Amino acid sequence: MTTRSATTSPAASFIIEPQAVKPTKKESLTQLRNVNVLPEPEFAFTTEFGFLPIPRHLRYNPAKPPHFGLLLNIAFAFAATFSELSNFVANLYYCQPLLSAYYGASVWVMYHSRIPTLVQAGYAVGIVLVSPLGDLLRRRQLVLCIVAISTALTIGLALTSNLVVFQVLSFFVGIVSVTPQILVPLAADLASEKRRATAVALVLSGLLLGILMARVLAGVIAEFRSWRVVYYFAIGVQALVLVGSYFMLPDYPSKNSDLTYFKILWTMAKFAVTEPILIQACLINFASSACFSNFWVTLTFLLGGSPYNYSTLVIGLFGLVGMAGVAMGPVLGRGLDKLVPWYGTLASILMLLVTSAVQTGAGGINVAAVVIATFGLDVFTQLLRVSLTTSIFGIAAAARARLNAVSILSIFIGQVMGTSVGTHVFVKFGWRAGAALSMGLFGLQLVFLLIRGPHCQRFTWFGYEGGLEARRSAVQRQPGDGVQDSGEKGKVVVQKNGKRISTVVLPGQDIGRTQDEEKGEVTLKG
């Protein structure tokens, strides 16, 4: 008997197995953490002030430091713009209509100089005492704190009807008006070496843009007298900066946990008298700022008188020409990334001399000369400040907030001098003498620059050691730089920028290097 084996039809034997679904990246990371393969990232801080949570993507992770891309750089620039805009408009330009409305024109005549002076004095105090905190505290927490205080004080200015309270609040508002001076060193810290000048240029462009926008807005306000709008505008803008900083500013650890506040102030004062690069930059910044203030303050007198006789509104709109010049800053900053900063400073001063010559020759004759001078002044003043700031920040990475504070203080003093002396010269001797004053100051800047070459060592005061190479890539690391074998037993050679330094070490021991950020010295240990 033949036994027939059971068979199945093809349809019955064909089994479709379900396809595996590929997990998402988030699910994969979750699974890895569940089996302890991928540990949770360790954040340095998760809250601000002990209660305000930091958004997870902004927390500082040592294993993955924040990436300073173009979007974040633009956010820094906008924060600088709106901070400076609200400070200048709300705290310098609304004094006249406020006092006139509350107390009458006679009181305004008495106090018209006192309140702006208090704001400026507070700003100077803030530069010296608040902005250096960037080298001691976490910058995110510091920015949020001072912007919140500034917003609260501005609300107080808008509500008070007491003149004494108004003056006191004005002084304290000036103290906390230093947000851009904290963001600029932070941008330099976060940016890579190859695009540091571009990053700084973008933030400084935002700062100058805020000043020029304030001038335009001030002209509109002076024309239409709607002074209450300025209060609401300033409070709203500061609140916008506060919210934007909370959601976009990355956390970053403090740089000098071993220093105290008084040590920070002491080293800042020490830098101001012992660093040739910083002192040279401050002298140039002082003269440049005086020229900038001299031009913009006397421009109102020039355009308001014969032969132009423009209205306050039209004069204020000249700030738009300056804003177009400032917009060129980031583009020029990309070029500075390829040059030694000294050459960027040289080109800026030479072009500012040409611009000043145009203003001296025809500023009171043809408005085209004024437009050219306005555009050129803002473009090349921006380029000058970026190149000087880049040079200063190269002195010591751990001290950038203090170095920046000294530099900004020189700019502030220059502004005060330029406003006072420039106005006196213009009123007494006319527009041509005022323009010639700026031209002379630009010539003085050229002298300050040329007494010290582009490649001098850190503590060299005069001379041209190191050559005249202009390309940054050619001088960042010269052949043979670093620790080299001298060929002699027990001796090595340290070479930096072509300069040889020998030191004797014990044979058979490892050689280690330590760097002193404050002194800039490299020490060999064996």
Side-chain angles (χ1 to χ4, degrees), residues 15 115 494:
I15 300 174
I115 292 176
V494 179

Side-chain angles (χ1 to χ4, degrees), residues 267-283 391-392 394-396 399 402-403 406 452 456-461 516-521:
T267 53
M268 184 175 72
K270 183 180 177 182
F271 287 144
V273 295
T274 61
E275 294 289 345
I277 298 175
L278 178 61
I279 293 171
Q280 181 187 43
C282 287
L283 290 173
S391 177
I392 290 170
I395 296 175
R402 285 165 284 173
L403 295 168
V406 175
R452 190 176 188 278
C456 290
Q457 295 296 318
R458 177 174 174 179
F459 295 106
T460 300
W461 291 88
D516 188 328
E517 288 284 4
E518 182 177 333
K519 297 180 180 179
E521 298 175 348

